[in-house]
Amino acid sequence: MKTIGVLTSGGDAPGMNAAIRAVVRTGCESGMKVMGIRRGYKGLIEGDMFEMNLRSVSDIIHRGGTMLYSARCPEFAESEVQDKAVEVCKEFGLDGIVAIGGDGTFMGARALTLKGVPCIGIPGTIDNDIASTSHTIGYDTALNTIMDMVDRVRDTTESHDRCSVIEVMGRNAGFLALNAGIAVGATCILVPEIDYDIDSYIIERMKRTMTTGKHHFIIIVAEGVKGIEVSSLAKYIEEKTGVESRATVLGHVQRGGSPSVRDRVIASKMGYHAVQLLKQDIGN
């Protein structure tokens, strides 16, 4: 391996910059040429890349988002588009690529590997939905962000004896909802992986809890739960319990912010290890 590329693809996640930094520093210190590919696979097929060095990644470890920018590239699923990417790799002399992102990024990396361009995937997604990885880059920061936001909502919820129905991200995985819900002491948590019945799981539980003297509630809902729209759920809860209810969608605030210690450390370790694997000619 003489020249490697590094890209970030799909949704951004806190800690991606730390991973980029580790890849560049490890590559450069191993005598490699490291090319930064802008805007993921879209930038790859367009040849939008530049040579990086130690100074390219100074003072980025604490920054959220990704300095290489990101983009979704659904057309990369097509074989002819992948072939074009392979030709671009040959044009720029890329012997391998480190791809940082979620499941779509990994599928793209696998496709390139099968076509002769070795790739190593680094799991970077707040959803934590990559197999064989206990904590993806960005997951811990997102959890802490959700916890902080819900704690703030709780102040108003408690002051007005309300029920707050809060939607969190996660796509089709419930990791964010489950662990954030536990951390904030939610009354109920809805995740895509477990079937639910609103009346028995939420309404009856709230009514039982109200008999103990509690009149404010937090309900956490993962965005991937089918058949649930949080504003409609809030109205239903109010109708059935008489507790004033409000819906809150936290949205993309969950993606941003300076990465936590855990995300910075695992990103740095993964970035270093990815380059070591490429040095051994081990692909995705």
Side-chain angles (χ1 to χ4, degrees), residues 153-164 206 210 213-218 237-238 241-246:
V153 172
R154 182 201 306 278
D155 292 341
T156 297
T157 300
E158 185 174 355
S159 297
H160 294 271
D161 282 339
R162 287 177 179 166
C163 173
S164 285
M206 285 179 60
M210 288 167 68
K214 182 172 181 177
H215 299 285
H216 64 276
F217 305 89
I218 298 289
I237 290 173
E238 185 166 337
T241 65
V243 178
E244 184 181 7
S245 302
R246 294 286 186 273

Side-chain angles (χ1 to χ4, degrees), residues 6-11 16 20 35-50 66-76 100 105:
V6 57
L7 61 81
T8 51
S9 178
M16 281 185 165
I20 294 168
M35 301 295 290
I37 304 167
R38 298 184 182 94
R39 295 178 177 84
Y41 294 116
K42 182 176 185 296
L44 177 61
I45 59 180
E46 294 174 352
D48 185 7
M49 62 183 79
F50 64 101
T66 163
M67 66 165 292
L68 291 176
Y69 306 102
S70 189
R72 300 191 187 277
C73 187
E75 62 268 27
F76 203 78
I100 308 167
T105 304

Side-chain angles (χ1 to χ4, degrees), residues 227-240:
I228 289 290
E229 201 281 317
V230 289
S231 61
S232 298
L233 177 57
K235 291 179 182 178
Y236 185 76
I237 290 173
E238 185 166 337
E239 290 173 2
K240 292 294 183 177

